[in-house]
Amino acid sequence: MEWRGFAMMLLFLTSAFVPTHTIILTDNLLDRKYVDTFDCKNKIYLYIGWNNLKVGRHAVEAYWYNPHGRLQEYTPYHFEAPAKDTWLWLALHGEGENRGIKVVGPKIGNKDFIGRWKVDVYLDNNLLTTKEFTVHC
């Protein structure tokens, strides 16, 4: 009985300091509602939040794969985590102009962007998750 109580206390103490993360795709950074289907005029953001992230320097990377399975964009971001609870956002840039505003436009053409996308998210060279989403026009 005493051993079980000690094990539960140890589990509680260690889990209190293990970093956890929340990663969502959204078209609005204010309300951060999860979206998995975007219109070609939507902004596409990757919102990332951590609890108990070690204070210090970190690197987050996003690899955006288009519906043809080819790497469309690579988004690296280096940051200093000031506190245990940290959040940031990355955007799929698309045209290169007005970064983060549009995914498709007259310079690129809609046909290359319509379909199922994939984004791989890494923290300090460790894969956190793979998210999939759809773009339609």
Side-chain angles (χ1 to χ4, degrees), residues 17 108 119:
F17 299 104
I108 294 178
V119 59

Side-chain angles (χ1 to χ4, degrees), residues 21 23-26 34-36 38 44-48 60-67 69-76 89-93 115-122 126-135:
H21 61 272
I23 300 175
I24 63 167
L25 288 157
T26 186
Y34 174 76
V35 176
D36 70 350
F38 296 86
I44 300 177
Y45 296 108
L46 186 64
Y47 173 87
I48 309 168
V60 65
E61 300 168 290
Y63 293 83
W64 304 85
Y65 295 92
N66 67 26
R70 291 188 300 267
L71 181 64
Q72 179 68 36
E73 189 169 318
Y74 167 68
T75 312
W89 61 267
L90 304 172
L92 178 61
H93 298 147
R116 196 80 177 147
W117 285 69
K118 179 177 91 162
V119 59
D120 292 334
V121 182
Y122 290 80
N126 295 303
L127 180 66
L128 291 179
T129 192
T130 297
K131 296 284 186 182
E132 293 188 6
F133 61 98
T134 301
V135 174

Side-chain angles (χ1 to χ4, degrees), residues 14-78:
T14 56
S15 66
F17 299 104
V18 173
T20 59
H21 61 272
T22 300
I23 300 175
I24 63 167
L25 288 157
T26 186
D27 58 1
N28 185 325
L29 288 173
L30 296 177
D31 63 14
R32 295 187 295 267
K33 290 182 183 174
Y34 174 76
V35 176
D36 70 350
T37 302
F38 296 86
D39 185 86
C40 60
K41 293 180 177 88
N42 287 135
K43 298 174 185 177
I44 300 177
Y45 296 108
L46 186 64
Y47 173 87
I48 309 168
W50 289 276
N51 293 320
N52 298 319
L53 184 62
K54 183 180 175 183
V55 174
R57 189 147 176 80
H58 296 279
V60 65
E61 300 168 290
Y63 293 83
W64 304 85
Y65 295 92
N66 67 26
H68 305 288
R70 291 188 300 267
L71 181 64
Q72 179 68 36
E73 189 169 318
Y74 167 68
T75 312
Y77 185 73
H78 298 272

Side-chain angles (χ1 to χ4, degrees), residues 96-123:
E97 297 176 15
N98 301 320
R99 295 171 66 92
I101 301 301
K102 288 185 177 182
V103 174
V104 298
K107 294 180 183 172
I108 294 178
N110 295 349
K111 65 180 175 149
D112 293 332
F113 286 83
I114 296 172
R116 196 80 177 147
W117 285 69
K118 179 177 91 162
V119 59
D120 292 334
V121 182
Y122 290 80
L123 175 67

